[in-house]
């Protein structure tokens, strides 16, 4: 059995790290302008600008943070959101923030998102169950493979994971990854995004398990994609997968340790 697992917001809480960084960014813009934003719902406020920018940028949610800084600056000074986003794109120098201040806020944002995210509930248990079943587990990321490897090592998950791949999650990519499976071997994709994880895997003929993340961009709600299964946590997803395959968890040894041996191939 070959199991492909998304990294961010499926294994660990990247969203929580970004939430704190975005709130800090908003506070910094407010302080620089000496103008306050909403007294409640600050995260929703920031993320409404965030998603408006992402919908227009070719990098999606990976657009440069300085665009968000300028868009919020325009918004805090009274510009409607769409106008603020447009002006951030075309006229950021007029946002009321000097470029050195924008650079300082952007650097602080990058520092805050560089911290290691916490593991999500059920991740150690789910990965252990996959390893105990003899599955080949491959982590997929569209971000930095080095960052994912560091996070895996930080949380001591390496013994459960066979490979880490960095690539855009397209139908073609999933078609290529299918060649890792042996003849007749089932292939599953587990992820938190319908558009990035589930839909292309579905189209490539994989079985899919959707584990919704805490933050769902608004365009996710407009997608008609349906996964093979849906689960609340990774360990619940793995349980569904094993039940589908007609398998159960491997017996535990007398020592309490699982009866399996992993050989890592991190290529």
């Amino acid at each position: 059995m070959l199991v492909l697992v998304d990294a961010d917001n499926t294994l660990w809480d990247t969203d929580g790290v970004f939430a704190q960084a975005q709130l800090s960014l908003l506070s910094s813009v407010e302080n620089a302008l000496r103008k306050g934003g909403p007294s409640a719902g600050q995260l929703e406020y920031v993320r409404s600008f965030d998603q408006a920018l992402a919908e227009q940028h070719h990098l999606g949610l990976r657009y440069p943070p300085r665009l968000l800084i300028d868009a919020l600056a325009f918004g805090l000074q009274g510009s409607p959101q769409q106008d603020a986003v447009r002006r951030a794109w075309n006229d950021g120098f007029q946002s009321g923030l000097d470029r050195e201040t924008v650079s300082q806020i952007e650097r602080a944002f990058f520092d805050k998102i560089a911290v290691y995210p916490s593991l999500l509930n059920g991740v150690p248990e789910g990965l252990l169950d996959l390893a105990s079943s003899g599955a080949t587990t491959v982590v997929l990321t569209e971000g930095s493979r080095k960052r994912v490897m560091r996070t895996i090592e930080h949380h001591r998950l390496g013994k459960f994971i066979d490979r880490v791949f960095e690539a855009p999650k397209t139908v073609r990519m999933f078609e290529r990854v299918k060649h890792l499976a042996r003849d007749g071997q089932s292939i599953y994709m587990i992820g938190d995004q319908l558009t990035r994880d589930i839909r292309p895997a579905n189209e490539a003929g994989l079985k899919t398990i959707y584990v919704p993340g805490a933050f769902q961009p608004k365009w996710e709600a407009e997608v008609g994609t349906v996964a093979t299964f849906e689960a609340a946590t990774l360990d619940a997803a793995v349980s569904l997968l094993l039940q589908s395959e007609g398998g159960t968890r491997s017996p535990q040894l007398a020592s309490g340790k699982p009866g399996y041996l992993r050989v890592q191939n991190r290529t």
Side-chain angles (χ1 to χ4, degrees):
M1 182 167 50
L2 173 63
V3 182
L4 313 175
V5 184
D6 172 56
D8 293 312
N9 299 312
T10 300
L11 294 178
W12 43 73
D13 187 19
T14 306
D15 175 63
V17 172
F18 270 81
Q20 292 303 313
Q22 288 174 329
L23 288 172
S24 179
L25 182 148
L26 172 62
S27 178
S28 295
V29 175
E30 290 174 331
N31 291 336
L33 291 173
R34 297 184 179 180
K35 290 184 178 292
S39 57
Q42 292 95 337
L43 184 58
E44 290 77 10
Y45 178 76
V46 175
R47 286 187 165 174
S48 66
F49 285 85
D50 175 50
Q51 291 179 75
L53 286 163
E55 285 184 305
Q56 298 183 32
H57 201 281
H58 71 283
L59 293 177
L61 289 167
R62 294 183 177 86
Y63 65 84
R66 61 183 54 228
L67 289 175
L68 179 59
I69 296 167
D70 284 329
L72 288 171
F74 284 123
L76 290 170
Q77 294 174 94
S79 293
Q81 184 185 91
Q82 290 304 317
D83 288 345
V85 168
R86 177 182 54 78
R87 295 183 69 185
W89 271 89
N90 301 320
D91 201 20
F93 287 94
Q94 303 300 317
S95 70
L97 298 174
D98 64 78
R99 294 302 91 184
E100 179 56 30
T101 298
V102 171
S103 294
Q104 289 175 358
I105 296 173
E106 187 175 51
R107 286 195 297 271
F109 178 82
F110 282 129
D111 287 342
K112 289 185 179 298
I113 64 173
V115 303
Y116 289 113
S118 302
L119 291 180
L120 291 167
N121 290 338
V123 167
E125 297 86 349
L127 292 176
L128 173 60
D129 285 347
L130 284 176
S132 298
S133 74
T136 297
T137 301
V138 177
V139 173
L140 300 180
T141 181
E142 292 184 310
S144 165
R145 182 178 182 274
K146 290 182 179 179
R147 176 184 60 83
V148 169
M149 291 293 297
R150 287 196 300 268
T151 307
I152 288 171
E153 291 168 2
H154 173 76
H155 290 296
R156 300 180 180 179
L157 300 177
K159 60 185 176 181
F160 304 130
I161 294 167
D162 296 279
R163 296 188 180 187
V164 176
F165 287 160
E166 173 189 335
K169 293 173 186 168
T170 62
V171 176
R172 182 179 179 184
M173 186 279 292
F174 282 110
E175 291 282 2
R176 292 178 64 184
V177 173
K178 284 167 63 176
H179 293 300
L180 294 174
R182 298 186 297 274
D183 289 343
Q185 192 176 35
S186 297
I187 312 174
Y188 291 82
M189 172 65 198
I190 303 175
D192 72 298
Q193 295 288 314
L194 291 171
T195 52
R196 306 305 303 166
D197 301 320
I198 303 303
R199 183 166 61 190
N202 278 348
E203 293 177 6
L206 278 64
K207 297 178 182 179
T208 54
I209 306 179
Y210 177 47
V211 182
F215 168 62
Q216 294 295 321
K218 61 183 181 180
W219 51 81
E220 286 283 299
E222 302 167 0
V223 176
T225 300
V226 177
T228 311
F229 302 107
E230 182 171 336
T233 58
L234 184 71
D235 59 339
V238 172
S239 292
L240 287 172
L241 178 158
L242 294 177
Q243 291 170 20
S244 175
E245 293 296 303
T248 59
R249 298 182 182 183
S250 294
Q252 300 290 306
L253 299 176
S255 63
K257 296 180 180 180
Y260 69 90
L261 174 66
R262 302 293 282 171
V263 178
Q264 296 179 65
N265 180 5
R266 295 182 172 182
T267 58

